[in-house]
Amino acid sequence: MRKFLRAAGAWLDDRLGISDTIMPLARHLVPPGAKWSYVFGSAALFCLILQVVTGVALTLLYQPTSSEAYQSLQFITHQAVFGRTLRAIHYFGASGMVLLVGVHMLRVYITASYKFPREMSWVSGVFLLFLTLAMAFTGQLLRWDSNGVWSAVVAAEQVGRIPVVGTLAARLLLGGDTIGGQSLSRFYSYHTLLFPAILFGLVGLHLYLVLRNGVSEPAEAGRPVDPKTYRQWYQDMLKKVGVPFWPNAAWRDIVFSAAVILVIVALAVGYGPPELTQPPSPARIHANPAPDWYLLPIFALFALMPARIESYVIFIGPVLTVLGLLALPFISNAGERSPLRRPWAVFGAGCVVVFMGSLLLLGEQAPWSPKFDAKPLTANSVHSADPAVLRGAMLFSKKGCLYCHLIDGHGGHRGPELTAVARRLTPGELRIRIVNGGGNMPAYGGVISEQELAYIIAFLNTRK
Amino acid sequence: MNSPDLPADKAPQPAVDAADQQAADHELSAPRREFLVKLSLGLSGVAALAVGVPVASAVLAPLLQPDPQTWRKVGTLTDFAVGSTHLVKFENADPVAWSGVSSESAAWLRRDSDTAFTAFSVNCAHLGCPVRWEQDAGLFMCPCHGGIYYKDGSVAAGPPPQGLTQYRIRVAANHDVELLTAPVPITNITPT
């Protein structure tokens, strides 16, 4: 029996070329000293595999029709065996993948691994980044609740800013003039078939390029890349000090990736999937659409940008970002790679991280959104017995002032806090501001009566 | 192959000669090679085109199909008091059978006088989020980025580059109030 197994093994090895082709690949020489900073790309790949596996499992339960998707999601979340965990793993897996693709890209940028001869690794990586975001966004839409529906509308409005063909592009995205049965079918096809197919092809290319050009050696200050001599130098270095990829370098990839997946599963079990909101009817307007965290910085940017340039930035911004990223390895493909010799690159990368992080935090708070659920001011919080002041406080809530202005910890954050407004503005100045509005405040002159205005000013004049 | 009646001096190394001859037998003449290359590429192109037309049509279907509009009843005259604003719900013009509730749309309908109505799209002109009518404040407000509109739909504050889009409304002879369905309003880069 053992003899037979050995013979079968030898036969398979011969016909499949495991010893001849696969093992040399696994054991190909890589530069020594590649430490933990090299693990993020492979962890992103393992996240992709996790997404494929959990995604396939979810398609066993999910009904990709506009009329049934919501119910099937309810079923997955509340009834299916491990359905809740499965959805949550897919959600946290998506988060992990976006995060790891981002960290991987930052690492490649900081150590300038995109320089000669690895320009195409960077270029394919840029496409992989945007495909990952496209997967993350379409995945969020497949959570076909009211948030999903309105997110699709928001996306259509954004592509609508493309010059000349904007309206056509929006129609193409929604699958028609309006949201409907055709919309979800298209998003489902993109998310489960079209994008993954492109993603697999690009990942294949990305990995092939690592074998073709070799993984970049750890950067060292004072050892610039010279395209004329680099390949020869790299081969000589591998011959002298190279170590086999498996297991010398790969064990870190595997250990880190396994840890990432365990963390994702732990988060999934601990926190569960994002709650479903209302059913997917565009007629339900009491929705507060917001994307998942990975797209929140962009959503926040739309609130903070000067309105005059925004329509242009929505279109030109992404185009410039893509072109700039694609151009990077061609603008600088030789010279120093060490971050120690490229302080501005490190500073720039730091700025991008701080910028995105701040936008994310702001996006979570959304201070620009009217606080529709602000509790009306009470006689207690107004600290006054004057009927005119109390009436003004009541009007302050009713007329929507409180949605945007904070008073003693009650209200929204869009406008300035008015807890002590009477210290800085006279009644006359208050009147001018309220009547004329300005910036992000409507002109209330045409909205409230002279009497109501007097009450509100009386109220505000006691805030000091 | 290696012909025996060739003079000895013209037959160099028999083995090499045989290989050459074999290669020559399999070599295509230049015109024939050119033809076969063109044939294989051309035929593949035709096959790709034959498949590509229906596939591309499926992808581009939303742009190739007509976009019907239709009048939908949203209530009767008695449902709407003069001066009041209501959220009305209606079915889009041509919902597919598997749309479920996603083929619904809504509009803010205000009765201005006995016969005149104004209907606003619920989609904010900024990024399409659903605006809310705040009755007491007399303003439309958007939850997403704080866009605010006056009651005539013009921009009062915030990021929207243009006012709220309006629907056409008519009152039928039997006092039905009808709304003409319309595409989701898409704001273009050059505000109209």
Side-chain angles (χ1 to χ4, degrees):
Chain A
M1 186 63 191
R2 185 176 298 172
K3 208 170 159 195
F4 170 76
L5 281 180
R6 192 170 300 145
W11 185 89
L12 278 175
D13 185 39
D14 176 71
R15 299 306 194 275
L16 296 176
I18 294 166
S19 300
D20 287 347
T21 313
I22 311 285
M23 283 318 286
L25 282 183
R27 298 184 151 275
H28 76 277
L29 294 180
V30 295
K35 293 271 159 61
W36 289 102
S37 67
Y38 278 60
V39 299
F40 302 113
S42 42
L45 177 63
F46 277 93
C47 274
L48 173 63
I49 296 168
L50 174 74
Q51 291 306 87
V52 171
V53 173
T54 51
V56 168
L58 283 169
T59 61
L60 298 177
L61 303 165
Y62 183 74
Q63 301 300 308
T65 67
S66 212
S67 53
E68 289 164 337
Y70 185 76
Q71 282 158 287
S72 72
L73 281 162
Q74 296 282 11
F75 174 79
I76 292 171
T77 313
H78 301 297
Q79 278 171 271
V81 182
F82 279 112
R84 184 183 161 76
T85 311
L86 200 56
R87 244 196 84 203
I89 295 176
H90 202 63
Y91 169 75
F92 283 103
S95 301
M97 192 165 156
V98 171
L99 202 63
L100 285 163
V101 165
V103 174
H104 175 54
M105 194 170 193
L106 271 176
R107 200 280 297 160
V108 166
Y109 178 71
I110 287 172
T111 61
S113 305
Y114 54 81
K115 292 191 176 184
F116 178 91
R118 303 185 181 86
E119 297 94 332
M120 286 309 291
S121 293
W122 175 269
V123 169
S124 54
V126 170
F127 284 109
L128 281 170
L129 169 75
F130 286 100
L131 259 177
T132 302
L133 291 177
M135 284 298 277
F137 181 66
T138 48
Q140 187 201 322
L141 294 184
L142 295 194
R143 204 189 306 143
W144 199 234
D145 55 3
S146 110
N147 200 35
V149 164
W150 286 110
S151 297
V153 175
V154 171
E157 289 287 343
Q158 284 175 49
V159 300
R161 301 303 208 278
I162 300 173
V164 188
V165 295
T167 305
L168 291 179
R171 256 180 83 90
L172 200 56
L173 183 87
L174 295 182
D177 275 344
T178 52
I179 291 278
Q182 71 288 348
S183 311
L184 179 64
S185 307
R186 296 180 82 87
F187 298 137
Y188 183 74
S189 171
Y190 299 156
H191 185 78
T192 60
L193 298 169
L194 182 62
F195 291 166
I198 305 173
L199 203 54
F200 295 159
L202 278 172
V203 166
L205 173 65
H206 206 63
L207 292 178
Y208 158 75
L209 288 173
V210 177
L211 292 172
R212 153 106 187 126
N213 297 316
V215 75
S216 68
E217 75 284 358
E220 200 173 284
R223 197 178 59 202
V225 172
D226 178 358
K228 284 202 196 73
T229 56
Y230 180 81
R231 281 194 192 273
Q232 191 58 49
W233 173 86
Y234 185 82
Q235 289 308 328
D236 293 346
M237 179 269 297
L238 280 192
K239 264 188 213 127
K240 252 186 274 164
V241 294
V243 296
F245 172 66
W246 171 259
N248 296 44
W251 73 267
R252 282 194 182 83
D253 292 308
I254 311 263
V255 167
F256 181 74
S257 302
V260 163
I261 287 174
L262 285 175
V263 168
I264 287 171
V265 173
L267 287 170
V269 172
Y271 291 95
E275 284 304 324
L276 295 168
T277 59
Q278 311 163 73
S281 165
R284 286 178 184 259
I285 62 139
H286 283 271
N288 187 1
D292 286 344
W293 70 267
Y294 33 77
L295 291 173
L296 209 49
I298 297 170
F299 199 66
L301 198 58
F302 290 148
L304 297 171
M305 218 182 309
R308 260 174 304 131
I309 60 164
E310 183 172 2
S311 281
Y312 302 94
V313 176
I314 289 177
F315 167 66
I316 297 166
V319 171
L320 285 185
T321 308
V322 174
L323 289 182
L325 285 172
L326 289 178
L328 173 70
F330 302 102
I331 293 168
S332 116
N333 84 326
E336 286 286 351
R337 279 188 47 213
S338 167
L340 297 173
R341 295 286 170 93
R342 297 165 53 251
W344 285 108
V346 177
F347 177 73
C351 285
V352 169
V353 172
V354 170
F355 184 61
M356 297 299 269
S358 316
L359 284 175
L360 176 59
L361 283 180
L362 275 171
E364 291 284 355
Q365 295 159 359
W368 48 79
S369 286
K371 197 169 158 48
F372 290 112
D373 55 356
K375 298 238 171 10
L377 299 171
T378 61
N380 223 4
S381 56
V382 173
H383 303 299
S384 174
D386 183 342
V389 170
L390 287 176
R391 181 130 182 87
M394 194 261 287
L395 284 166
F396 192 82
S397 309
K398 270 183 77 172
K399 294 295 175 186
C401 313
L402 200 58
Y403 292 166
C404 297
H405 293 284
L406 199 65
I407 294 218
D408 284 329
H410 297 275
H413 297 269
R414 169 114 218 183
E417 177 170 354
L418 300 182
T419 306
V421 67
R423 282 191 214 159
R424 49 193 170 87
L425 295 179
T426 63
E429 288 167 332
L430 281 170
R431 165 180 290 271
I432 291 169
R433 304 262 162 130
I434 297 169
V435 170
N436 296 323
N440 287 321
M441 173 161 166
Y444 270 86
V447 177
I448 56 176
S449 70
E450 191 62 30
Q451 182 62 61
E452 289 170 331
L453 183 60
Y455 285 138
I456 290 175
I457 292 174
F459 161 64
L460 289 176
N461 206 34
T462 59
R463 302 298 103 191
K464 44 188 145 195
Chain B
M1 298 300 277
N2 200 11
S3 167
D5 27 72
L6 273 175
D9 60 324
K10 283 200 175 177
Q13 294 298 318
V16 174
D17 187 46
D20 277 359
Q21 188 61 45
Q22 217 162 11
D25 281 353
H26 289 288
E27 181 53 283
L28 302 167
S29 68
R32 187 169 165 74
R33 187 168 58 209
E34 200 177 315
F35 167 75
L36 290 175
V37 167
K38 280 185 183 156
L39 177 71
S40 47
L41 293 183
L43 205 59
S44 315
V46 172
L49 200 67
V51 178
V53 168
V55 170
S57 304
V59 174
L60 299 177
L63 305 183
L64 305 174
Q65 287 155 354
D67 47 338
Q69 287 180 288
T70 187
W71 291 97
R72 294 276 192 220
K73 180 183 170 183
V74 292
T76 57
L77 271 184
T78 49
D79 295 336
F80 310 108
V82 174
S84 65
T85 303
H86 301 260
L87 183 69
V88 292
K89 200 165 88 170
F90 55 92
E91 185 88 10
N92 293 330
D94 60 340
V96 289
W98 54 92
S99 291
V101 291
S102 69
S103 62
E104 294 172 350
S105 283
W108 287 109
L109 179 72
R110 185 173 60 234
R111 186 170 185 184
D112 298 309
S113 69
D114 269 356
T115 51
F117 283 85
T118 314
F120 295 101
S121 163
V122 296
N123 297 102
C124 181
H126 179 224
L127 286 174
C129 291
V131 297
R132 306 176 190 191
W133 168 249
E134 291 292 317
Q135 178 67 44
D136 292 321
L139 298 165
F140 293 99
M141 295 190 182
C142 179
C144 283
H145 299 105
I148 300 178
Y149 304 83
Y150 294 117
K151 68 178 200 173
D152 66 352
S154 61
V155 179
Q162 63 196 49
L164 292 174
T165 307
Q166 295 191 12
Y167 287 100
R168 285 177 61 194
I169 295 288
R170 71 179 185 193
V171 181
N174 60 0
H175 292 182
D176 278 356
V177 179
E178 295 179 335
L179 174 148
L180 183 63
T181 63
V184 170
I186 300 294
T187 301
N188 293 123
I189 199 162
T190 43
T192 46

